[in-house]
């Protein structure tokens, strides 16, 4: 059984933000917002929690640093130690640069990999047609009709009231 | 002094988001202009000269260069340091200015990052061909090998460089691509041809622009910027360690890492300025790369140019203050020795000319700004030449002193690197949105709200 979705089309990010606030106040469920550019303040308005990507960066960076330092130590002091004028094999200060580069490399690649995985970005993914203008200049606000507060027409009226120049309905699959 | 007031808009011409999409995407969808073909012809010719020179050098050997027993580094390493330096401004604009929330970066960051990537490719070319047997270049990486395994020397600044440059290239490329994804989606959604749809559909990874995607995307961009910022500082510091860890007079200085980093930013911003002044005319981006952007870059140039001047003065002071006769001699030799002309070009172009940018009348005259930017590019190339060749040619023992005259093969390789750089850059302007559309739309949106309120 599909529920109805109302899709409001906006031109202006501020009107869209107002509409999002109004929906939240009235307890209307927001399915998603689709926009051609990031709308500032939308995360708070929709109640999206901050991304956990920084943890991925931290862990991957620490892994890169540890691996980089360990490998240099192992290669220079254990696997094939070369005595250069009696200097110590575990010359840590000399290993810092490559340790640092490995930190950045691991952290950067892992952050991007996590972004792609979590946002399900992959080369063979295709979008359904009809959303072409959302990468140009249109912002869409998608809300869902819930049974608890069902008064016919309220959703569309609310979207129009806040500046949506077009509202259409869809049935959720 | 400042014109950064809200009265001067960042993007002129009263653009709407739809205008931005159209202005940036149309040049990619039409046939290239005659000017583009002319630029491509010149760039490919230069590239051809480079390919011929380098092929000859690889077939015959390093002896085709003017290097000798005393001067072991000449044009090759000068070009390497020059191109790495050029790259730095791109990362600085895209990463550091992102962290500082400088909105003027939005219309130039895409092309500046592209510049970084192409400049690093040009830079990497020179150590590669300097090896003489470039097909063994993978020996610089630590991999399990049948020679022991005999590992690379992790205590060598040259190896640090291998890691710094390859990390820098990888992270810059990834950062650039991630920044492109929403704009590639825009191109995909405008595409009419079947192949164009397919190619950009694949490249844009199914980007949909939902609120959650944007939220995560922006977090990732800030994280990458935070990683790229210390990285870019490390890269030229490591390049300077190639010199500073040697005992050659004129190289052995603790000043080198900050001196090289600021020089890199200086030269990179000069190259950004050169490219942007051309691009805004050729690509009709005058409403996006406005006088305000040019003004901001000019201010960075006069600031970094002054620090470069201070670094030169510090070098001279330290050579005198060190009490080392060899150090003093090297610096006097730079001013009055056989390479004094190169020194003169360096001081004129890097220290004296940029000071003209203090005057607003100069900053507003785009032709003068263009000439100054070219002079800085030239001057920064000569700076590296002066550092490398004057120090090497006359070191401790007068019996081993030597001159250095580059051969046509070396000049050809330098010309070829410019050809490679501009070929890549012109292809980039042709196939990829040269202005970050989604970021410019975000900046427009702020302006609207100020006017609407």
């Amino acid at each position: 059984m599909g529920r109805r979705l109302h899709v409001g089309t906006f031109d202006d990010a501020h009107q869209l933000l107002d509409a999002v606030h109004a929906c939240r106040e009235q307890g209307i469920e927001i399915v998603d917002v689709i926009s051609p550019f990031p709308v500032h303040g939308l995360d708070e308005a929709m109640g999206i929690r901050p991304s956990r990507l920084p943890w991925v960066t931290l862990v991957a960076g620490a892994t890169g640093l540890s691996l980089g330092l360990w490998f240099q130590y192992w290669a220079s002091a254990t696997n094939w130690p070369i005595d250069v004028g009696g200097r110590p094999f575990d010359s840590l200060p000399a290993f810092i640069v490559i340790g640092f580069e490995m930190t950045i490399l691991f952290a950067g690649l892992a952050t991007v990999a996590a972004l792609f995985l979590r946002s399900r970005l992959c080369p063979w993914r295709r979008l359904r047609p009809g959303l072409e203008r959302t990468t140009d200049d249109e912002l869409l606000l998608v809300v869902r009709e819930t049974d608890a507060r069902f008064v016919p027409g309220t959703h569309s009226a609310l979207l129009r009231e806040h500046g949506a120049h077009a509202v259409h309905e869809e049935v959720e699959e | 002094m400042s014109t950064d007031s809200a009265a001067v808009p960042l993007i002129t011409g009263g653009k709407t988001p739809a205008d931005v999409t159209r202005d940036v995407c149309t040049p990619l969808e039409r046939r290239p202009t005659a000017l583009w073909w002319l630029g491509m012809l010149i760039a490919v010719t230069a590239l051809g000269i480079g390919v011929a020179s380098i092929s000859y050098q690889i077939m015959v050997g390093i002896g085709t260069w003017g290097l000798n027993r005393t001067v072991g580094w000449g044009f090759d390493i000068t070009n390497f340091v020059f191109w790495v330096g050029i790259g730095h401004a791109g990362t600085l604009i895209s990463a550091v200015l992102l962290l500082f929330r400088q909105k003027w970066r939005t219309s130039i960051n895409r092309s500046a990052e592209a510049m970084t990537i192409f400049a690093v490719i040009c830079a990497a070319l020179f150590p590669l061909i300097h090896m003489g047997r470039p097909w063994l270049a993978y020996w610089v990486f630590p991999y399990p090998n049948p020679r022991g395994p005999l590992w690379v020397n992790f205590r060598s600044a040259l190896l640090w460089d291998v890691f710094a440059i390859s990390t820098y290239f990888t992270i810059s490329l990834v950062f650039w691509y991630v920044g492109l994804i929403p704009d590639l989606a825009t191109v995909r959604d405008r595409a009419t041809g079947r192949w164009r749809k397919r190619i950009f559909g694949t490249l844009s990874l199914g980007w949909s622009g939902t609120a959650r995607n944007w939220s995560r995307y922006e977090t990732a961009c800030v994280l990458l910027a935070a990683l790229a910022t210390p990285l870019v500082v490390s890269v030229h510091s490591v390049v300077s360690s190639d010199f500073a860890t040697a005992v050659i007079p004129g190289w052995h200085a603790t000043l080198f890492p900050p001196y090289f980093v600021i020089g890199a930013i200086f030269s990179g911003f000069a190259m950004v300025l050169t490219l942007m002044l051309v691009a805004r005319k050729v690509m009709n981006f005058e409403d996006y790369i406005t006088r305000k952007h040019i003004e901001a870059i000019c201010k960075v140039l006069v600031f970094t140019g002054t620090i470069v001047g201070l670094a030169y003065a510090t070098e001279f002071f330290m050579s005198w203050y060190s009490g080392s006769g060899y150090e003093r001699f090297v610096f006097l030799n730079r001013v009055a020795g056989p390479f004094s002309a190169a020194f003169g070009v360096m001081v004129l172009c890097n220290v004296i000319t940029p000071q003209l940018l203090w005057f607003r009348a100069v900053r507003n005259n785009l032709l003068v700004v263009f000439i100054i930017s070219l002079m800085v590019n030239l001057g920064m190339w000569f700076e590296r030449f002066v550092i490398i060749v004057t120090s090497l040619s006359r070191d401790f023992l007068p019996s081993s002193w030597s001159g250095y005259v580059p051969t046509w093969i070396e000049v050809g390789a330098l010309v070829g690197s410019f050809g490679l750089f501009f070929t890549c850059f012109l292809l980039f302007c042709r196939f990829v949105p040269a202005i970050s559309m989604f970021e410019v739309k975000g900046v427009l949106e702020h302006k609207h709200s100020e006017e609407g309120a």
Side-chain angles (χ1 to χ4, degrees):
Chain A
M1 190 191 83
R3 290 195 206 162
R4 280 177 186 284
L5 297 178
H6 297 264
V7 184
T9 310
F10 293 78
D11 284 336
D12 187 283
H14 291 271
Q15 290 178 329
L16 176 112
L17 262 183
D18 290 341
V20 169
H21 282 294
C23 288
R24 296 263 292 181
E25 272 164 29
Q26 303 203 9
I28 295 172
E29 191 192 344
I30 298 167
V31 180
D32 216 335
V33 169
I34 301 179
S35 60
F37 49 85
V39 179
H40 291 283
L42 189 63
D43 291 6
E44 297 81 36
M46 286 177 67
I48 297 177
R49 280 181 303 168
S51 164
R52 285 166 296 174
L53 279 181
W55 293 105
V56 176
T57 314
L58 180 69
V59 171
T63 311
L65 179 65
S66 317
L67 274 178
L69 290 179
W70 169 79
F71 183 79
Q72 291 180 82
Y73 173 81
W74 175 78
S76 311
T78 309
N79 191 245
W80 189 320
I82 295 172
D83 187 341
V84 184
R87 291 185 183 84
F89 297 121
D90 53 339
S91 36
L92 184 67
F95 299 159
I96 286 175
V97 172
I98 293 177
F100 171 78
E101 303 299 338
M102 289 295 99
T103 311
I104 301 288
L105 186 66
F106 273 59
L109 293 180
T111 306
V112 173
L115 168 75
F116 285 0
L117 283 174
R118 288 290 290 139
S119 301
R120 271 174 280 147
L121 294 172
C122 58
W124 49 90
R125 186 168 169 221
R126 291 292 182 275
L127 298 179
R128 64 190 188 117
L131 295 172
E132 281 81 5
R133 281 196 66 186
T134 57
T135 56
D136 180 7
D137 63 340
E138 277 184 354
L139 300 96
L140 300 185
L141 171 56
V142 188
V143 296
R144 184 182 280 135
E145 264 183 17
T146 41
D147 296 336
R149 297 177 142 256
F150 182 68
V151 184
T154 41
H155 297 76
S156 312
L158 185 104
L159 292 176
R160 282 187 200 284
E161 189 190 316
H162 284 92
H165 60 74
V167 179
H168 69 272
E169 291 183 15
E170 280 177 24
V171 177
E172 203 173 10
E173 287 116 31
Chain B
M1 201 66 208
S2 163
T3 52
D4 296 24
S5 59
V8 186
L10 215 49
I11 309 294
T12 54
K15 302 286 181 188
T16 64
D19 292 335
V20 175
T21 313
R22 199 195 53 228
D23 291 348
V24 177
C25 289
T26 333
L28 314 176
E29 290 158 355
R30 306 189 284 242
R31 284 178 182 282
T33 57
L35 212 54
W36 186 87
W37 280 114
L38 179 70
M40 201 62 184
L41 185 72
I42 297 170
V44 170
T45 309
L47 179 61
I49 292 171
V51 170
S53 310
I54 293 169
S55 308
Y56 179 74
Q57 176 242 304
I58 289 172
M59 279 190 298
V60 179
I62 288 293
T64 55
W65 287 357
L67 300 177
N68 51 55
R69 176 175 50 88
T70 306
V71 182
W73 284 356
F75 260 43
D76 49 352
I77 304 301
T78 303
N79 297 340
F80 164 71
V81 181
F82 172 76
W83 280 116
V84 179
I86 295 293
H88 278 42
T91 318
L92 203 87
I93 288 174
S94 59
V96 180
L97 298 186
L98 175 71
L99 295 181
F100 284 116
R101 311 226 178 266
Q102 292 289 308
K103 290 203 178 81
W104 62 272
R105 61 178 269 287
T106 51
S107 38
I108 56 170
N109 66 347
R110 173 75 41 78
S111 37
E113 276 174 56
M115 182 191 84
T116 294
I117 291 162
F118 307 142
V120 176
I121 293 173
C122 290
L125 176 73
F126 285 99
L128 187 76
I129 59 174
H130 192 185
M131 289 175 188
R133 289 186 289 169
W135 51 92
L136 297 178
Y138 62 92
W139 282 13
V140 301
F141 291 105
Y143 65 97
N145 57 61
R147 302 182 292 277
L150 180 60
W151 300 108
V152 287
N153 182 7
F154 290 107
R155 299 176 184 99
S156 161
L158 296 174
L159 186 77
W160 303 348
D161 233 4
V162 171
F163 278 82
I165 300 287
S166 46
T167 302
Y168 184 47
F169 179 71
T170 313
I171 294 294
S172 298
L173 190 66
V174 166
F175 194 15
W176 184 64
Y177 178 61
V178 168
L180 263 171
I181 291 172
D183 281 358
L184 292 172
T186 305
V187 179
R188 165 199 71 193
D189 289 346
R190 282 172 61 93
T192 44
R194 188 169 156 217
W195 279 103
R196 209 175 159 78
K197 265 193 193 348
R198 191 171 285 182
I199 291 168
F200 281 94
T202 305
L203 288 176
S204 60
L205 307 178
W207 174 260
S208 58
T210 64
R212 280 170 191 80
N213 276 1
W214 277 123
S215 165
R216 206 174 283 124
Y217 179 82
E218 287 203 294
T219 309
C221 285
V222 171
L223 287 169
L224 284 176
L227 291 170
T229 302
L231 177 66
V232 72
V233 174
S234 85
V235 171
H236 233 57
S237 300
V238 171
V239 170
S240 79
S241 303
D242 293 344
F243 303 99
T245 56
V247 292
I248 299 288
W251 286 6
H252 193 61
T254 46
L255 174 70
F256 261 41
Y259 169 31
F260 268 51
V261 170
I262 201 71
I265 294 167
F266 180 56
S267 67
F269 267 93
M271 187 60 103
V272 169
L273 194 54
T274 311
L275 289 178
M276 292 305 112
L277 283 169
V278 175
R280 71 195 289 271
K281 281 273 177 233
V282 176
M283 307 280 290
N284 290 324
F285 285 158
E286 274 142 327
D287 282 331
Y288 298 95
I289 303 166
T290 60
R291 283 179 181 274
K292 198 172 170 180
H293 294 96
I294 306 291
E295 177 101 2
I297 302 174
C298 284
K299 286 176 183 169
V300 174
L301 268 191
V302 71
F303 173 62
T304 49
T306 309
I307 302 181
V308 166
L310 178 67
Y312 294 167
T314 310
E315 272 195 312
F316 274 88
F317 172 76
M318 287 311 295
S319 72
W320 166 75
Y321 191 65
S322 69
S324 157
Y326 299 108
E327 286 284 338
R328 285 184 192 178
F329 171 76
V330 158
F331 283 89
L332 288 177
N333 185 45
R334 279 186 190 175
V335 183
F339 298 103
S340 59
F343 180 82
V345 172
M346 164 183 126
V347 172
L348 175 72
C349 295
N350 296 346
V351 185
I352 298 169
T353 341
Q355 297 302 322
L356 290 172
L357 294 170
W358 285 105
F359 302 102
R360 185 177 292 165
V362 174
R363 293 199 301 268
N364 282 339
N365 188 332
L366 296 187
L367 181 68
V368 175
V369 169
F370 186 66
I371 292 169
I372 291 176
S373 77
L374 288 179
M375 285 181 75
V376 172
N377 283 317
L378 182 75
M380 285 307 291
W381 189 87
F382 272 102
E383 180 202 291
R384 280 62 178 256
F385 182 81
V386 165
I387 292 173
I388 292 169
V389 176
T390 60
S391 297
L392 282 176
S393 67
R394 294 188 168 182
D395 60 354
F396 299 101
L397 282 178
S399 59
S400 59
W401 286 3
S402 165
Y404 169 67
V405 181
T407 62
W408 283 109
I409 300 299
E410 284 167 286
V411 177
L414 173 60
V415 170
S417 70
F418 275 94
L420 177 63
F421 180 76
F422 284 106
T423 305
C424 291
F425 199 80
L426 285 165
L427 287 174
F428 153 77
C429 290
R430 182 75 199 101
F431 290 106
V432 180
I435 287 180
S436 177
M437 290 184 279
F438 77 92
E439 285 181 289
V440 169
K441 287 172 190 170
V443 178
L444 287 181
E445 190 256 328
H446 278 275
K447 195 172 77 74
H448 269 278
S449 70
E450 281 160 19
E451 282 174 357

